[in-house]
Amino acid sequence: MAVLNGIDSNLTTLPGGVTGTGSAAAAVLANTPKPAPAAAAKVSSEDLASVSSTGGLVSQALNTSDVRTEKVAALQAAIANGSYNVSSSDVANKIVDSLLK
């Protein structure tokens, strides 16, 4: 919400995202408590952190490909030289299986 009095066009942002102008806004800002500086966290010798190996395994699994590049290369070579053949009964069985599902 913006508060404009038509005399002072300098907007000041008040706590809560409200904007105001002039001496009224300055008074609100002057009376607003300032947050205390963050205290340094005390760390005792008993504080421990441990990370399981599961995270590393998940990361490794996500970064590796599930494509078997050797098999893909062999199939590409067979298709390219015309030696790749698929039996018609295998194709028919796959079509029937997919229609029944």
Side-chain angles (χ1 to χ4, degrees), residues 70-96:
E70 297 84 19
K71 189 169 185 174
V72 170
L75 287 171
Q76 286 176 334
I79 292 169
N81 67 24
S83 65
Y84 181 72
N85 293 316
V86 179
S87 72
S88 58
S89 63
D90 287 344
V91 173
N93 286 335
K94 293 292 182 176
I95 291 173
V96 170

Side-chain angles (χ1 to χ4, degrees), residues 15-33:
V18 178
T19 56
T21 60
S23 59
V28 170
L29 287 175
N31 293 324
T32 302

